[in-house]
Amino acid sequence: MKEIIKQLVEAYGPSGYEGQVTDIITELVKDYVDELTTDVLGNLIAVKKGTSGKKVMFSAHTDEIGFVITHIDDKGFLRFSNVGGLNILTLVGGRVRFANGTIGVIGKEKGDLKELDLDKLFIDIGAKNREDALEKVKVGDFAIAHREYNDLGNRIVSKAMDDRIGCVVLIEALKKISKPVHDLYFVFSSQEEVGLRGARTSSYAIDPDLGIAVDVTPTGDTPEAPRSEVALGNGAAIKVMDTSVIAHPKVKALLTRLAEAKGIKYQYEVLTRGGTDAGAIHLTKEGVPSGCISIPVRHVHTPSEMIDLDDVQACVDLVVAVAEDALADF
Ligand code: CO
Ligand code: ZN
């Protein structure tokens, strides 16, 4: 599993430009699915056909937070805006990578740290002047955080665990499901970080009977962390609510029952800031009972997001359990 994680987190995939990620996933899943399509927004949808007539949608997003160039000055320094929720404290001195491989360093103007905002930051690609910079980067180009993958043993740290680790969970789960009961739609969704956009159109097209997002959730287990019961290593997190969705009571009950029946370690998640694809799925058409299986991650939305492999395995097991359940209530 570590190899797939490394391959996916190292890929380039800011919101709207997820093609490199979906290409990798296509190669990894093509032998395990009945259908594989890509829609207009860049969602990759892998289908495994069942016989019950019920449709289950799982969704993990392929995009990562990033940077978009807004201006290039005469000296060749780049100004940028955020693509999704950048954490400003983690930017200064960090590096970014553009689609063409160009690397830049994030620098800051002088001034009070408390007043630091994106307007006071710039990217230095080592250009001599504007013309030189334009050889490598144009206004409107996207970049991602450039930070290496490190294997800490049972824990791994990298950029873009949000939500490539969710993609890994879906890939591992769909390899394990040999005789699907229901029509299973594994959506590798686009543009989550800018407002759950890919999940919205894919869910409309699929019109599922049950929707499950698989995404990361921050933990409350680091020094003076915002209050949260979620801890790294304590298992799959079953979402109760976040700011985009209140998990349907039937879905929360289903996930809890399956985790207990199969001996899968789990914890409940109440997230007071942030949303997931379930926020888009549950508002589709007349409404879809939806919930979320969350992978606990430390340092979310920094270039050093940390996961625990036991949690990832618990999430895989829970996705498989949902896929193989009779789903009598849905
Ligand atoms: Co995110
Ligand atoms: Zn996410």
Side-chain angles (χ1 to χ4, degrees):
M1 188 151 64
K2 281 180 178 176
E3 214 165 288
I4 295 180
I5 295 173
K6 184 168 191 293
Q7 202 182 354
L8 280 170
V9 295
E10 286 182 344
Y12 171 91
S15 306
Y17 295 87
E18 300 92 350
Q20 210 180 90
V21 183
T22 49
D23 283 352
I24 294 169
I25 296 172
T26 297
E27 283 307 306
L28 292 169
V29 305
K30 65 178 198 293
D31 295 337
Y32 301 92
V33 298
D34 299 316
E35 264 171 43
L36 205 49
T37 54
T38 306
D39 74 6
V40 177
L41 261 66
N43 295 298
L44 176 67
I45 303 169
V47 189
K48 270 174 111 77
K49 291 272 184 203
T51 50
S52 72
K54 285 177 195 167
K55 291 182 280 186
V56 183
M57 170 175 169
F58 297 98
S59 182
H61 67 92
T62 51
D63 63 317
E64 67 192 288
I65 52 173
F67 309 78
V68 58
I69 301 309
T70 54
H71 176 77
I72 302 173
D73 73 18
D74 291 342
K75 291 186 169 155
F77 294 106
L78 323 177
R79 298 293 177 151
F80 63 93
S81 186
N82 59 304
V83 180
L86 291 178
N87 180 342
I88 196 158
L89 287 174
T90 67
L91 297 181
V92 179
R95 297 179 201 177
V96 302
R97 174 160 59 92
F98 291 84
N100 65 6
T102 299
I103 301 292
V105 179
I106 302 170
K108 76 170 193 56
E109 300 174 357
K110 67 176 186 295
D112 194 335
L113 269 185
K114 285 189 196 121
E115 278 153 34
L116 194 62
D117 63 31
L118 290 187
D119 276 350
K120 298 198 166 72
L121 302 181
F122 55 85
I123 295 169
D124 179 0
I125 57 168
K128 294 192 205 83
N129 51 43
R130 179 179 160 90
E131 281 61 49
D132 195 26
L134 284 170
E135 299 279 313
K136 292 174 172 173
V137 175
K138 308 270 186 290
V139 166
D141 283 358
F142 283 57
I144 55 168
H146 183 60
R147 191 69 66 95
E148 73 177 333
Y149 164 104
N150 286 119
D151 181 346
L152 311 181
N154 207 47
R155 294 177 169 179
I156 296 174
V157 63
S158 170
K159 74 158 182 82
M161 283 295 180
D162 178 9
D163 185 27
R164 306 285 161 72
I165 198 65
C167 298
V168 171
V169 168
L170 292 193
I171 293 164
E172 293 296 315
L174 73 80
K175 284 185 194 169
K176 277 195 177 171
I177 301 159
S178 51
K179 288 200 186 77
V181 187
H182 319 290
D183 290 346
L184 305 175
Y185 293 81
F186 292 86
V187 178
F188 299 92
S189 64
S190 64
Q191 299 191 37
E192 189 272 350
E193 296 291 357
V194 289
L196 322 178
R197 295 175 189 170
R200 188 163 306 152
T201 56
S202 52
S203 177
Y204 184 88
I206 294 164
D207 193 16
D209 298 294
L210 166 63
I212 307 276
V214 178
D215 204 343
V216 307
T217 194
T219 63
D221 61 349
T222 53
E224 305 288 327
R227 194 166 294 126
S228 161
E229 291 275 318
V230 177
L232 204 64
N234 277 5
I238 297 173
K239 189 181 293 290
V240 176
M241 70 174 282
D242 60 28
T243 54
S244 73
V245 67
I246 294 169
H248 196 289
K250 281 197 304 190
V251 179
K252 182 187 161 205
L254 169 77
L255 296 176
T256 305
R257 172 173 66 77
L258 290 172
E260 287 188 350
K262 310 265 176 189
I264 300 166
K265 203 169 171 188
Y266 74 97
Q267 48 191 331
Y268 283 131
E269 173 215 353
V270 180
L271 180 59
T272 52
R273 269 187 70 185
T276 56
D277 280 349
I281 300 168
H282 83 296
L283 297 178
T284 303
K285 296 184 180 174
E286 300 91 346
V288 176
S290 302
C292 183
I293 299 170
S294 301
I295 307 112
V297 170
R298 283 186 187 159
H299 322 296
V300 172
H301 282 209
T302 79
S304 301
E305 297 177 323
M306 189 186 294
I307 55 106
D308 183 297
L309 286 174
D310 293 341
D311 294 336
V312 178
Q313 189 57 53
C315 291
V316 173
D317 295 343
L318 196 48
V319 168
V320 172
V322 172
E324 293 182 340
D325 192 73
L327 302 177
D329 287 345
F330 296 88

